[in-house]
Structure formats: structure tokens, C-alpha cells
Amino acid sequence: MDGAVDQLTLALADRPTDPALLSQRGAVLGLLKRYTDAEADLRRALREAPDHPAALFHLGLLLHRKGLPADAVAVLRHVIDVDPANSPAQFYLGEALHHQGDLAGAEAALRRAAELDLRQGRALHLLGRILDGQGRSEEAREMYQRAREAAR
């Protein structure tokens, strides 16, 4: 992946303010756990294009990975405002809300993620865990079953 960072850095030499390139490099840097550099690229992309869906998504994901669920929630909600059909953003929003203890919000986001993408097994599984924890065992069983089916 370091090669990808190098290639994106070369491309950015010609187009240093290109939000798509900054977002791509920020995403790769995030995967490499170079969080400070990743966040700098993503925030720079958003200064150039405040509603850039990929930059917003990757920043929300990065903040979530860094253990900052409140910050992640704010950014992921912005992603969903810009791109309501973004199932992964809905999933990570649900996960971040769950970490904050907002079970109703998490449930709504996870249901939306699964509605948008029937293969969202992780969303269905986490939804099952939330429902189980609330004593809603029948609904939880259904979500676990749907998660298994989505994995096939």
C-alpha cells in the first residue's frame, strides 16, 4: 500500500488541491494506521469540497477507528445528508451510536444500512446483539438469521 501512497503523492504534486486525490490518499493512509497524515489529507479535501462524500466517509471512519465516536457520528451524519444511500456510512453510524449507548439511534441506522444493502450482514448481526440486549429475542433471532443468509 505504500506504493499507492507514493503514486497518489506524485499525482498530488500536479493537482495539490484535488479533493478526490486527497481523499484517496487519506483513505490509504488510514488503512496504514497513519492517522495523523490521513486526517490531514481528509480535512484538506473537505476544505476544498466540504460535501465531498468520499472524504467525509473516510474521515468519519477514521474518527471511529481512533475511538472518537461523538466526532465520528457528526461526520457520518453529514455523509448521510450528502449521500443518503451510503449503506457503509449507515453501518458505521450505527456502530458509533452503539458505542455511545444510543441504542435507538444505532438500531435505526443499522436497519437503514440493511435496508439499503441486503448483504449488510455485519449490520444485521450488530442489530441482533442490540435487540438481544433489550430482551427482544424473537427480533434478534430474525436478525441473526438474516445475517447468516447475507454471508452466503
Side-chain angles (χ1 to χ4, degrees):
M1 269 197 253
D2 285 323
V5 172
D6 293 341
Q7 288 181 340
L8 289 164
T9 300
L10 284 173
L12 280 162
D14 292 332
R15 299 189 329 250
T17 60
D18 185 319
L21 291 173
L22 288 163
S23 176
Q24 289 172 10
R25 187 172 70 176
V28 174
L29 289 166
L31 290 171
L32 294 170
K33 297 186 179 175
R34 292 173 49 189
Y35 295 143
T36 302
D37 294 335
E39 187 170 351
D41 273 0
L42 295 167
R43 291 196 184 279
R44 191 165 156 215
L46 291 169
R47 278 194 300 277
E48 297 298 324
D51 291 334
H52 193 277
L56 286 166
F57 174 74
H58 291 295
L59 179 59
L61 182 57
L62 176 74
L63 294 168
H64 181 59
R65 285 182 180 151
K66 286 175 63 175
L68 302 168
D71 295 335
V73 165
V75 173
L76 290 166
R77 283 193 168 132
H78 190 161
V79 174
I80 293 162
D81 287 343
V82 172
D83 182 11
N86 189 322
S87 177
Q90 291 282 357
F91 168 74
Y92 287 111
L93 174 62
E95 201 171 59
L97 289 168
H98 179 249
H99 286 215
Q100 287 186 298
D102 179 355
L103 300 183
E107 179 180 344
L110 294 167
R111 285 187 187 278
R112 181 71 176 136
E115 179 182 300
L116 290 167
D117 181 357
L118 299 177
R119 297 164 298 155
Q120 263 287 8
R122 290 174 52 201
L124 293 164
H125 182 79
L126 180 53
L127 182 55
R129 286 185 28 221
I130 290 169
L131 294 169
D132 240 351
Q134 295 174 336
R136 296 161 62 186
S137 55
E138 276 302 311
E139 288 177 88
R141 253 191 303 282
E142 178 188 339
M143 293 305 126
Y144 291 139
Q145 178 60 38
R146 288 179 57 197
R148 281 190 296 276
E149 290 169 4
R152 292 184 193 157

